[in-house]
Amino acid sequence: MKSSEAPVRADPINQLLKWQSVALVLTVLIAFVWQGKAASIAYLYGGGIAVGNTLLQKWHLLAAAKTAKADAGKNLGRAYRCVAERWVLTIVLFAIGFSVFIPAEMLLAGFVVAQVVVLFGHYNRA
């Protein structure tokens, strides 16, 4: 564990990032074989949006541990800010992606696959 991650237990989000990356690489390879280069790039971009969301969440988690510490009000404010920034990031990146990539369904498929990893990556966390 890095010294910057010491105040907070970042292992679950690190594991999530690892599994998202593994799933994304494997499915991008499948998309490349099945649909070709353009579709696999769109797929990678869509999955990258979900991975970017997880990275932003990790950044907020570490920043909250550093600045808010045990202050519940500050932690809650940081959580709301994280949610808002993730929504904005997702909307902006989808808007860019839909205007650039022709195989929009592959962009969505990549995002969905990476988000499914998030869904099933937290099923045993209480």
Side-chain angles (χ1 to χ4, degrees), residues 2 17 20 27 35 39 50 56 62 74 114:
K2 295 180 190 173
L17 282 165
Q20 274 185 311
T27 54
Q35 295 282 326
L56 183 62
L62 296 175
K74 286 183 181 177

Short mmCIF file of all heavy atoms in Angstrom, two decimals, residues 2 17 20 27 35 39 50 56 62 74 114:
data_model
loop_
_atom_site.label_atom_id
_atom_site.label_comp_id
_atom_site.label_asym_id
_atom_site.label_seq_id
_atom_site.Cartn_x
_atom_site.Cartn_y
_atom_site.Cartn_z
N LYS A 2 0.57 2.17 -0.83
CA LYS A 2 1.32 3.42 -0.90
C LYS A 2 1.06 4.25 0.36
O LYS A 2 0.03 4.12 1.00
CB LYS A 2 0.90 4.23 -2.12
CG LYS A 2 1.21 3.58 -3.43
CD LYS A 2 0.74 4.48 -4.54
CE LYS A 2 0.80 3.79 -5.87
NZ LYS A 2 0.20 4.59 -6.92
N LEU A 17 -10.41 -2.01 -10.21
CA LEU A 17 -9.70 -1.49 -11.39
C LEU A 17 -8.97 -2.60 -12.13
O LEU A 17 -8.97 -2.63 -13.37
CB LEU A 17 -8.71 -0.40 -10.97
CG LEU A 17 -9.32 0.96 -10.68
CD1 LEU A 17 -8.33 1.84 -9.95
CD2 LEU A 17 -9.78 1.62 -11.96
N GLN A 20 -11.65 -4.70 -13.95
CA GLN A 20 -12.20 -3.94 -15.07
C GLN A 20 -11.21 -3.96 -16.24
O GLN A 20 -11.61 -4.16 -17.39
CB GLN A 20 -12.47 -2.48 -14.68
CG GLN A 20 -13.80 -2.23 -14.05
CD GLN A 20 -14.02 -0.75 -13.81
OE1 GLN A 20 -13.16 -0.06 -13.26
NE2 GLN A 20 -15.17 -0.26 -14.21
N THR A 27 -12.26 -8.55 -23.68
CA THR A 27 -13.41 -8.32 -24.55
C THR A 27 -13.07 -7.43 -25.74
O THR A 27 -13.69 -7.56 -26.79
CB THR A 27 -14.60 -7.76 -23.75
OG1 THR A 27 -14.19 -6.59 -23.04
CG2 THR A 27 -15.14 -8.80 -22.78
N GLN A 35 -15.48 -7.97 -34.91
CA GLN A 35 -16.00 -6.81 -35.64
C GLN A 35 -14.94 -5.99 -36.37
O GLN A 35 -15.28 -5.17 -37.19
CB GLN A 35 -16.73 -5.87 -34.66
CG GLN A 35 -17.96 -6.45 -34.04
CD GLN A 35 -19.13 -6.43 -34.99
OE1 GLN A 35 -19.26 -5.52 -35.78
NE2 GLN A 35 -19.96 -7.44 -34.91
N ALA A 39 -14.51 -1.06 -34.61
CA ALA A 39 -15.43 -1.45 -33.54
C ALA A 39 -14.68 -1.68 -32.23
O ALA A 39 -15.17 -1.31 -31.16
CB ALA A 39 -16.20 -2.70 -33.94
N ALA A 50 -15.94 3.84 -18.31
CA ALA A 50 -16.24 3.21 -17.02
C ALA A 50 -14.99 3.13 -16.15
O ALA A 50 -15.06 3.37 -14.94
CB ALA A 50 -16.83 1.82 -17.25
N LEU A 56 -11.69 8.10 -11.10
CA LEU A 56 -12.15 9.34 -10.47
C LEU A 56 -12.68 9.06 -9.07
O LEU A 56 -12.41 9.82 -8.12
CB LEU A 56 -13.23 10.01 -11.32
CG LEU A 56 -13.75 11.35 -10.83
CD1 LEU A 56 -12.64 12.39 -10.79
CD2 LEU A 56 -14.89 11.83 -11.72
N LEU A 62 -9.32 8.87 -1.96
CA LEU A 62 -8.03 9.22 -1.35
C LEU A 62 -8.00 10.67 -0.90
O LEU A 62 -7.45 10.99 0.16
CB LEU A 62 -6.90 8.93 -2.33
CG LEU A 62 -6.71 7.45 -2.70
CD1 LEU A 62 -5.65 7.30 -3.77
CD2 LEU A 62 -6.40 6.61 -1.49
N LYS A 74 -17.85 16.81 5.72
CA LYS A 74 -16.90 16.96 4.61
C LYS A 74 -16.88 15.70 3.74
O LYS A 74 -16.78 15.79 2.52
CB LYS A 74 -15.51 17.26 5.14
CG LYS A 74 -15.32 18.66 5.65
CD LYS A 74 -13.89 18.89 6.09
CE LYS A 74 -13.70 20.29 6.64
NZ LYS A 74 -12.32 20.49 7.12
N ALA A 114 -17.68 -3.06 -18.73
CA ALA A 114 -16.87 -2.54 -17.61
C ALA A 114 -17.75 -2.21 -16.40
O ALA A 114 -17.32 -2.37 -15.26
CB ALA A 114 -16.08 -1.33 -18.06
#
